[in-house]
Amino acid sequence: MSYTPAEVQTLTPIRETVEKQAPRPDLRDIFLCHAWDDRQGAAKQLHDLLEACGVKVWFSEKDVALGTSLLREIDKGLAKSRIGIVLVTPALLSRLKGEGIADKELSVLLARDQLVPVAYGTTFEALRDVSPMLASRSGLTVTADNTMANVAAKLAEVVAL
C-alpha cells in the first residue's frame, strides 16, 4: 500500500490517537457518517470494504434496530467508536445545508480529533463552500487511482492494533 505525503500527514495523528485509547470490548473501530441518500450506494460499499478488511464499523443501516430512537442510537455509536469518517458525497453536501442528522453527527465528529473526511464524487473545494471546518481537515479522496478499496485498506491500517 502506498501513501501520498498528504495522506501520511492526515493519518498519522489519527493512528496515534487510536493507539492511546484503552481497549474496550464494545468499541467499534470506525463510525461511518454519511448522507441518507448514500446508504445503499457509496456508504454501503465503503462499509462492506472496511468490514472485509476486519474493521468493526458502526453503520446506521446495520446498527439501528427498528423501533429504537435513531438519534439516541447514533449518540451511542459515536461514543463507542475509535474514530469517525465522513463520507463526503454530493448527497452529503446537499444534506449538510439542510442541517439534518448528518449535520448533527458532523458537529460531534468535528469536536473530536478523530475524524477523517473521505471525498467521493466531489472535491474538498466543493466541501469548503458547505463546511469550511470539515474541508480544513485533510482527508482521503476516492479517485480512479485511489479506489474505494484502497481507501478502505488505508483506513483499516490506521485502526489496526
Side-chain angles (χ1 to χ4, degrees):
M1 181 77 46
S2 64
Y3 294 84
T4 67
E7 289 174 338
V8 171
Q9 183 177 358
T10 295
L11 298 175
T12 298
I14 301 296
R15 174 63 184 196
E16 290 169 353
T17 300
V18 167
E19 289 173 346
K20 291 176 188 172
Q21 293 172 342
R24 289 180 17 209
D26 63 340
L27 199 61
R28 300 289 177 96
D29 297 312
I30 291 176
F31 179 95
L32 175 54
C33 173
H34 61 89
W36 177 255
D37 304 356
D38 294 324
R39 71 190 183 283
Q40 296 299 321
K44 182 171 183 348
Q45 179 187 8
L46 182 54
H47 165 269
D48 293 350
L49 289 165
L50 287 165
E51 293 239 322
C53 291
V55 177
K56 293 185 286 184
V57 182
W58 192 95
F59 183 50
S60 58
E61 299 311 299
K62 176 187 74 180
D63 291 295
V64 177
L66 287 174
T68 60
S69 166
L70 177 62
L71 287 176
R72 184 62 190 121
E73 291 303 311
I74 289 170
D75 193 40
K76 290 177 189 177
L78 286 162
K80 293 180 179 180
S81 297
R82 293 183 196 287
I83 70 168
I85 57 175
V86 178
L87 182 60
V88 181
T89 63
L92 182 82
L93 296 178
S94 176
R95 290 283 180 172
L96 290 179
K97 292 176 187 175
E99 299 182 7
I101 292 173
D103 187 61
K104 290 173 178 48
E105 293 173 357
L106 178 57
S107 294
V108 172
L109 291 170
L110 282 169
R112 298 164 62 180
D113 241 357
Q114 302 154 286
L115 170 63
V116 178
V118 176
Y120 178 80
T122 191
T123 64
F124 278 85
E125 291 76 30
L127 176 59
R128 195 166 281 105
D129 292 338
V130 177
S131 178
M133 288 179 70
L134 181 58
S136 71
R137 306 277 178 115
S138 52
L140 303 172
T141 302
V142 177
T143 64
D145 295 330
N146 194 36
T147 65
M148 186 77 89
N150 288 344
V151 166
K154 289 174 183 179
L155 291 167
E157 281 187 358
V158 168
V159 298
L161 293 174

